Amino acid sequence: MSKVAFHTLGCKVNHYETEAIWQLFKEDGYDRTEFDHQADVYVINTCTVTNTGDKKSRQVIRRAVRQNPDAVICVTGCYAQTSPAEIMVIPGVDIVVGTQDRTKLLGYIEQYRNERQPINAVRNIMKNRVYEELDVPAFTDRTRASLKIQEGCNNFCTFCIIPWARGLMRSRDPQEVLNQAQQLVDAGYLEIVLTGIHTGGYGQDLKDYNLAQLLRDLEANVKGLKRLRISSIEASQLTDEVIDVLRESNIVVNHLHIPIQSGSDTVLKRMRRKYTMEFFGERLTKLHEALPNLAVTSDVIVGFPGETEEEFMETYNFIRDHKFSELHVFPFSPRTGTPAARMEDQIDEDIKNERVHRLIALNDQLAKEYASRFENEVLEVIPEEFVHDGSEEEGLLTGYTDNYLKVVFEGPENLIGQLVKVKITQAGYPHSKGQFVRLLETVK
């Protein structure tokens, strides 16, 4: 039996797509093995969001070639899409497929074995207007299932290469989304995370159908779904209709990830982001009125070209005043090929790092404040795994509440993947401590 090994770099969408590509191999009779083991085929799913992503992708490709020089080496993903020529010159690479045509991969492997000629199968992604159906009936991870609902992005922010790697916005057919959601719940998943390149933009290219309707339809039609999470949503996509759905829903969780990137209007303009801070603040106020306990997490880029101390402080103060519950803070990293990489006034690394540290300190404080609101409360957690990091929490169960608090508590292995009530005994960050109260219901 032929063996295939996978290595995934980058985001949740890539991880989703690796699982989808694995399904194709599985149906073709392949066995899956670890990446550092001998395999007949190696598939590297690459990332290109930063220059480092490219570099890491090249390192992993070379590792696969060393592992088994006779194996078929297939490279796919975003770096493959934007720079196929760079990958084709790496000795040992046999097949390059971008972020489309993944369903043809097995055919290309067959072709390569017959002809022994390297295949560059990357096509222009900008011409693609059709969502590529890739089903994932189950994941290697047992507790949370991702469900990809859209592909591509029309925003062209000045720091971002992704539209060139993923193409323009295209939404998955609503019926396909519902079918796959039901399939995942039937496979035992209680929580589904809607994911995509620009998830909140779902439906922009569909006639008379949008994200709010998809959320309603999932709630009405998918039997047994307990939690629905949106992986990320832009402020501009938080329409009054979406906020109404969140308010009324019994399954959409009390957590939204809303990328802010900067809290300064002048920086946002240079980033070509499509909102002002006044608008962003107004949306947050409206959300918190609808959902008083909502956790809002966010991404922030620090040290964007030309960022002054004043502009940085606008970001800092906005985040502090609006009490975000957790931040992902990134120092600006110039991505070759984007307008921001060519801008004047690149910020000194030391200044970037110092600002990053100030925001991380603010994040720790805000995250602790948010968690402390739930001390002595009983919340619902889906345990994901045991802690294995050599810390004092070693051997405890860990999982997330619907409002994305990480909780560790004592309990047996059969609770993993179930919905349980846990009392928060000691709120904190990066995790809170809890005490198991009871099992809510057992998954079939």
Side-chain angles (χ1 to χ4, degrees):
M1 186 182 261
S2 294
K3 286 186 173 160
V4 60
F6 295 91
H7 193 295
T8 311
L9 297 108
C11 66
K12 281 195 178 86
V13 174
N14 261 9
H15 284 270
Y16 176 91
E17 288 168 354
T18 296
E19 294 287 340
I21 296 167
W22 158 234
Q23 297 299 324
L24 302 172
F25 277 89
K26 193 162 133 185
E27 283 158 23
D28 204 48
Y30 276 78
D31 239 359
R32 186 172 181 169
T33 185
E34 293 299 318
F35 193 74
D36 52 5
H37 293 181
Q38 285 291 309
D40 303 287
V41 178
Y42 290 90
V43 178
I44 297 101
N45 196 350
T46 59
C47 172
T48 194
V49 76
T50 61
N51 291 345
T52 320
D54 289 1
K55 192 172 139 192
K56 277 187 187 155
S57 297
R58 289 193 295 270
Q59 287 167 345
V60 172
I61 294 165
R62 292 196 180 97
R63 223 166 81 202
V65 176
R66 282 198 302 271
Q67 192 70 37
N68 180 2
D70 299 328
V72 182
I73 307 289
C74 309
V75 183
T76 182
C78 290
Y79 179 44
Q81 181 66 49
T82 56
S83 312
E86 272 179 35
I87 294 171
M88 289 300 288
V89 299
I90 299 174
V93 170
D94 302 313
I95 298 167
V96 181
V97 176
T99 52
Q100 51 189 343
D101 301 330
R102 266 81 53 108
T103 48
K104 297 179 184 170
L105 199 50
L106 288 156
Y108 291 135
I109 292 172
E110 192 64 28
Q111 182 189 330
Y112 175 78
R113 284 184 170 144
N114 293 332
E115 299 171 8
R116 290 287 159 187
Q117 288 298 317
I119 299 166
N120 177 354
V122 177
R123 293 184 300 119
N124 181 351
I125 194 84
M126 287 304 176
K127 292 186 173 156
N128 194 341
R129 294 289 180 274
V130 183
Y131 179 90
E132 181 179 38
E133 277 298 334
L134 289 166
D135 247 12
V136 184
F139 289 81
T140 322
D141 169 19
R142 281 306 306 148
T143 48
R144 258 189 283 167
S146 296
L147 174 48
K148 188 177 160 198
I149 61 169
Q150 69 76 238
E151 174 64 271
C153 180
N154 298 354
N155 276 7
F156 294 95
C157 300
T158 55
F159 53 79
C160 184
I161 198 81
I162 293 308
W164 305 107
R166 288 284 176 172
L168 299 173
M169 179 70 218
R170 33 206 202 283
S171 301
R172 190 171 187 175
D173 175 76
Q175 198 47 57
E176 292 287 349
V177 177
L178 292 174
N179 295 347
Q180 199 180 345
Q182 190 62 62
Q183 202 178 2
L184 289 166
V185 174
D186 292 346
Y189 293 98
L190 297 177
E191 177 173 327
I192 288 178
V193 184
L194 298 181
T195 185
I197 296 301
H198 194 61
T199 315
Y202 180 85
Q204 280 171 11
D205 55 336
L206 299 177
K207 214 176 153 53
D208 306 325
Y209 197 79
N210 60 20
L211 180 67
Q213 279 157 294
L214 180 70
L215 294 171
R216 281 198 202 99
D217 284 348
L218 283 162
E219 183 148 11
N221 299 305
V222 180
K223 304 285 170 277
L225 177 58
K226 291 284 176 260
R227 277 189 192 175
L228 189 56
R229 198 180 293 278
I230 303 164
S231 65
S232 180
I233 188 165
E234 295 286 337
S236 54
Q237 291 148 353
L238 284 164
T239 59
D240 288 354
E241 188 187 6
V242 168
I243 294 174
D244 285 344
V245 172
L246 296 177
R247 183 196 288 116
E248 292 153 18
S249 172
N250 293 315
I251 63 167
V252 181
V253 298
N254 230 353
H255 162 238
L256 286 175
H257 185 79
I258 316 171
I260 180 173
Q261 308 302 9
S262 168
S264 159
D265 283 343
T266 41
V267 176
L268 289 170
K269 212 173 213 146
R270 296 201 292 278
M271 289 179 165
R272 212 185 292 148
R273 301 286 287 169
K274 297 181 171 59
Y275 49 83
T276 61
M277 289 329 294
E278 185 186 2
F279 174 81
F280 201 105
E282 181 266 331
R283 291 288 91 187
L284 287 178
T285 304
K286 196 145 196 167
L287 272 171
H288 286 302
E289 281 166 8
L291 303 154
N293 284 330
L294 181 74
V296 177
T297 57
S298 196
D299 299 326
V300 192
I301 294 172
V302 172
F304 190 77
E307 183 184 67
T308 61
E309 177 62 23
E310 290 72 28
E311 287 171 328
F312 170 73
M313 283 313 294
E314 286 178 63
T315 302
Y316 184 98
N317 294 336
F318 185 90
I319 288 167
R320 181 197 59 201
D321 297 346
H322 285 274
K323 295 201 179 305
F324 284 75
S325 64
E326 191 176 7
L327 305 172
H328 299 162
V329 184
F330 305 94
F332 170 73
S333 145
R335 171 64 178 82
T336 311
T338 59
R342 299 189 294 271
M343 287 178 179
E344 312 272 301
D345 297 332
Q346 297 286 334
I347 304 292
D348 182 79
E349 291 302 318
D350 291 345
I351 294 175
K352 276 188 215 170
N353 289 335
E354 186 264 339
R355 288 179 185 168
V356 165
H357 284 119
R358 275 150 71 189
L359 267 187
I360 288 175
L362 175 65
N363 167 63
D364 292 356
Q365 177 197 329
L366 290 173
K368 280 183 186 130
E369 273 175 33
Y370 179 76
S372 70
R373 288 161 54 176
F374 302 94
E375 193 151 280
N376 297 322
E377 299 268 324
V378 174
L379 303 177
E380 291 179 5
V381 175
I382 300 178
E384 296 185 3
E385 59 188 0
F386 285 111
V387 179
H388 292 304
D389 58 4
S391 67
E392 58 184 86
E393 277 81 41
E394 181 78 31
L396 295 179
L397 284 171
T398 172
Y400 287 90
T401 62
D402 83 320
N403 58 341
Y404 216 58
L405 292 178
K406 191 175 187 179
V407 182
V408 300
F409 62 98
E410 222 171 296
E413 187 172 3
N414 65 346
L415 295 181
I416 290 178
Q418 314 276 20
L419 197 57
V420 301
K421 290 262 193 202
V422 174
K423 183 178 183 177
I424 306 298
T425 51
Q426 191 185 333
Y429 180 77
H431 58 251
S432 297
K433 291 179 180 168
Q435 191 181 4
F436 172 71
V437 178
R438 66 186 175 91
L439 182 62
L440 274 169
E441 57 185 275
T442 311
V443 192
K444 58 177 176 299

